[in-house]
Amino acid sequence: MFFLQADDYHQWRDHARRLLSAEVPPAEIHWNSDSSQQVLFADPRPLPECSASRKVNVPKAFLEWAEIVACYCSDRRWQLLYRTLWRLTHGERNLLEIVTDDDVHQLGQMKKMVTRDVHKMKAFVRFRKVEAAAPAQEAYVAWHRPDHRIVRLAAPFFSRRFKEMHWTILTPLESVTWNQKELVYGPGVPASEAPQDDALEDLWKTYYASIFNPARIKVSMMKREMPVRHWPTMPETELIPDLLREASQRVDRMVDSTEGFAKTAAHYLPDQKDLASLRSAAQSCRACDLCQHATQAVFGEGRRQASLVLIGEQPGDQEDLEGRPFVGPAGQLLDSALATAGINRDDVYVTNVVKHFKFTEQPLNRGKRRLHKKPNSREIYACRPWLEAELDLIRPQAIVCLGATPAQAIFGRDFRVSHSRGQLLRTDWCNHTIATWHPAALLRMPNAERRAEMLDALIADLASAAAVT
Ligand code: URA
Ligand code: SF4
């Protein structure tokens, strides 16, 4: 029997790598994660050395799951992760797709709980101003009590959102400080050390006002989304509508993460994340059924250095045949709108939320006509890793979402282009994200006057996005 201890994902992974390379079956390992807990059994065997000759090939999706599940507070996780790893590498390579499997189900539950906890932390952490060492410098502290060890999962979000502030988030098990350059992790602290004073209300108001988009307020969600024990650190009630809007976006992502049982394009991402590798890997994507009927995947097009990214819904008939985005009728209208807005299409990266053409067939004379069909949320979710990889690589100054599909993929399902068109909003992707009409919506608009108005709006929105790049 091996008696092993792991405090975090990296320790577990190192152990697991060695054990697996020595073919140690799960039943021969006892895992625990508390260093103060004495192992009662004598003579634990030393860990085997990693055999360099045996390379273990583990599905990437598992590593992604493992990093999240490792934050789940229970010793069960290490055993479960190792058993799953063992099975994946011993003849059950597609195990993660079998949602009815007990281990996969348990892993999925843990992943969901951790993701949910991260969502709560993002929505409810509230900073307070404290005295800083240097007089000209302001520092902010927040106290939060997560259920799981999620500080490392959530901290990058705060470093992006509060890039210009010097802040610390304290939790009972871990803490993290952003010094405007890097995240520094430290031990946890008791609640009594968290600052009590009420200085940051205005900052929160501005912060929330700037990142939220108008969306319906669901009061019932408030009860669901605010566990009582978060209340002592919550902002006052006037901010609650804003928080609810945040919650609505986060709930979408939570729902998405439970859909994580399903297959996504993440399985097909190449190791090398440059545009050429991504584009060619997308051709082999089988994460949803759309690939079965389309001619080819239509990947985004443009330079990696582009400061403006345009996102459409999915390729149309002509795009599907040519393999390039926005080359059909909607593309021609887009080109002319870009030109009027003074934007050179060669300077822009143009892509779609979904990379394969979805259509229904209609008899036409002797042949058939392929009619565009809207992608469903399952397909959008499956395809999302491609879009995320594109945005991660390009890191544009501005993003334009053309129509409801990209807008909802980016802002959440409550987003309405008709309400929030033209507003420059902050998102996880970049500080200036704007939603506007899809050129195809103009082509379908029967009323000429209305169509002209929509075209003006499209041009103006493209121009205002270009102006912030
Ligand atoms: N419509 C889109 O959304 N994308 C295209 O590439 C073409 C038409
Ligand atoms: Fe993959 Fe997207 Fe094509 Fe579906 S639509 S197969 S997720 S590339």
Side-chain angles (χ1 to χ4, degrees):
M1 196 78 179
F2 290 93
F3 294 95
L4 292 177
Q5 181 208 315
D7 289 329
D8 60 23
Y9 169 67
H10 298 283
Q11 276 184 7
W12 172 83
R13 197 189 53 189
D14 289 347
H15 291 338
R17 202 176 269 156
R18 289 201 201 182
L19 292 160
L20 201 61
S21 102
E23 288 288 332
V24 180
E28 287 183 26
I29 311 165
H30 178 91
W31 296 91
N32 83 59
S33 58
D34 184 353
S35 40
S36 65
Q37 194 181 319
Q38 286 300 314
V39 175
L40 297 175
F41 309 91
D43 195 21
R45 283 157 64 187
L47 262 179
E49 278 309 313
C50 203
S51 126
S53 58
R54 190 169 179 280
K55 202 163 181 314
V56 192
N57 184 5
V58 180
K60 208 176 292 164
F62 173 74
L63 297 177
E64 284 169 21
W65 282 40
E67 204 164 348
I68 298 175
V69 170
C71 303
Y72 190 88
C73 278
S74 152
D75 279 351
R76 275 191 307 128
R77 71 199 189 279
W78 301 132
Q79 177 69 8
L80 180 62
L81 281 169
Y82 188 72
R83 192 164 59 233
T84 309
L85 178 63
W86 177 267
R87 294 178 61 193
L88 283 165
T89 52
H90 288 78
E92 296 180 77
R93 179 129 190 116
N94 295 324
L95 178 61
L96 293 186
E97 286 157 38
I98 304 172
V99 294
T100 49
D101 182 272
D102 263 1
D103 286 345
V104 176
H105 178 74
Q106 277 192 58
L107 273 183
Q109 289 298 317
M110 288 185 182
K111 178 167 172 273
K112 187 164 135 185
M113 300 301 277
V114 170
T115 309
R116 195 185 168 85
D117 208 27
V118 171
H119 143 72
K120 301 259 186 254
M121 179 158 172
K122 290 179 185 174
F124 299 130
V125 153
R126 173 195 183 206
F127 289 101
R128 292 162 187 277
K129 200 194 287 191
V130 290
E131 299 270 315
Q137 203 188 24
E138 289 178 334
Y140 298 94
V141 174
W143 163 254
H144 184 71
R145 190 161 22 148
D147 292 329
H148 302 286
R149 293 187 74 109
I150 54 162
V151 168
R152 281 168 197 265
L153 288 183
F157 165 88
F158 291 99
S159 67
R160 288 194 300 272
R161 280 280 189 266
F162 298 108
K163 202 164 38 196
E164 310 303 332
M165 285 164 47
H166 187 115
W167 54 255
T168 297
I169 300 174
L170 309 170
T171 80
L173 292 175
E174 312 162 271
S175 64
V176 57
T177 296
W178 170 251
N179 57 20
Q180 287 149 301
K181 280 199 207 79
E182 57 181 351
L183 292 164
V184 182
Y185 296 94
V189 290
S192 57
E193 289 184 25
Q196 294 304 317
D197 119 280
D198 242 11
L200 267 198
E201 260 41 9
D202 286 349
L203 180 93
W204 274 86
K205 281 178 200 152
T206 327
Y207 164 56
Y208 280 108
S210 70
I211 66 161
F212 288 117
N213 51 76
R216 277 172 293 126
I217 294 167
K218 294 177 185 138
V219 175
S220 64
M221 188 185 290
M222 184 176 143
K223 295 198 184 97
R224 192 148 46 87
E225 285 307 309
M226 293 183 195
V228 170
R229 65 190 174 71
H230 288 293
W231 289 6
T233 55
M234 284 282 299
E236 65 278 84
T237 39
E238 73 184 272
L239 288 175
I240 282 175
D242 292 333
L243 279 170
L244 286 171
R245 281 199 279 266
E246 167 81 342
S248 147
Q249 285 184 31
R250 303 281 170 217
V251 165
D252 279 0
R253 286 188 204 155
M254 237 156 63
V255 171
D256 286 346
S257 74
T258 60
E259 286 170 15
F261 291 125
K263 208 152 127 181
T264 78
H267 292 255
Y268 299 90
L269 289 183
D271 291 335
Q272 192 95 359
K273 301 259 184 328
D274 56 274
L275 285 176
S277 311
L278 287 166
R279 175 175 299 114
S280 93
Q283 293 304 337
S284 321
C285 183
R286 300 286 175 268
C288 78
D289 291 341
L290 297 186
C291 59
Q292 289 175 18
H293 308 287
T295 312
Q296 56 190 317
V298 178
F299 206 70
E301 191 178 74
R303 292 182 305 126
R304 199 200 66 77
Q305 295 81 1
S307 52
L308 176 61
V309 168
L310 308 186
I311 311 176
E313 182 183 78
Q314 64 172 342
D317 183 63
Q318 226 161 300
E319 286 80 12
D320 169 76
L321 297 171
E322 279 191 44
R324 298 179 49 212
F326 283 100
V327 291
Q332 280 160 24
L333 181 55
L334 178 64
D335 284 347
S336 86
L338 282 170
T340 315
I343 302 166
N344 184 349
R345 176 152 168 179
D346 293 339
D347 294 339
V348 176
Y349 186 88
V350 180
T351 190
N352 286 298
V353 172
V354 169
K355 309 298 193 223
H356 275 106
F357 178 37
K358 182 177 183 181
F359 56 90
T360 52
E361 285 184 314
Q362 261 204 347
L364 176 78
N365 303 327
R366 270 196 234 129
K368 279 189 184 134
R369 184 159 64 140
R370 303 192 300 173
L371 286 182
H372 159 271
K373 202 167 168 217
K374 224 173 152 45
N376 62 34
S377 62
R378 157 85 190 87
E379 291 145 358
I380 293 171
Y381 179 70
C383 212
R384 198 181 164 93
W386 296 118
L387 179 64
E388 294 188 352
E390 290 173 292
L391 294 175
D392 277 345
L393 194 62
I394 298 171
R395 290 265 145 218
Q397 299 293 314
I399 297 177
V400 178
C401 297
L402 298 165
T405 303
Q408 291 178 355
I410 299 283
F411 296 112
R413 282 167 213 159
D414 281 339
F415 191 89
R416 294 288 168 268
V417 177
S418 49
H419 290 169
S420 309
R421 203 219 85 241
Q423 296 178 22
L424 282 168
L425 301 164
R426 199 140 121 181
T427 59
D428 281 355
W429 301 113
C430 83
N431 287 343
H432 306 291
T433 307
I434 193 168
T436 188
W437 302 120
H438 192 293
L442 275 68
L443 295 174
R444 285 194 302 267
M445 171 54 64
N447 178 323
E449 204 177 313
R450 180 76 190 115
R451 189 165 59 240
E453 270 172 31
M454 288 167 83
L455 180 61
D456 286 346
L458 172 63
I459 293 166
D461 295 341
L462 288 168
S464 61
V468 294
T469 62

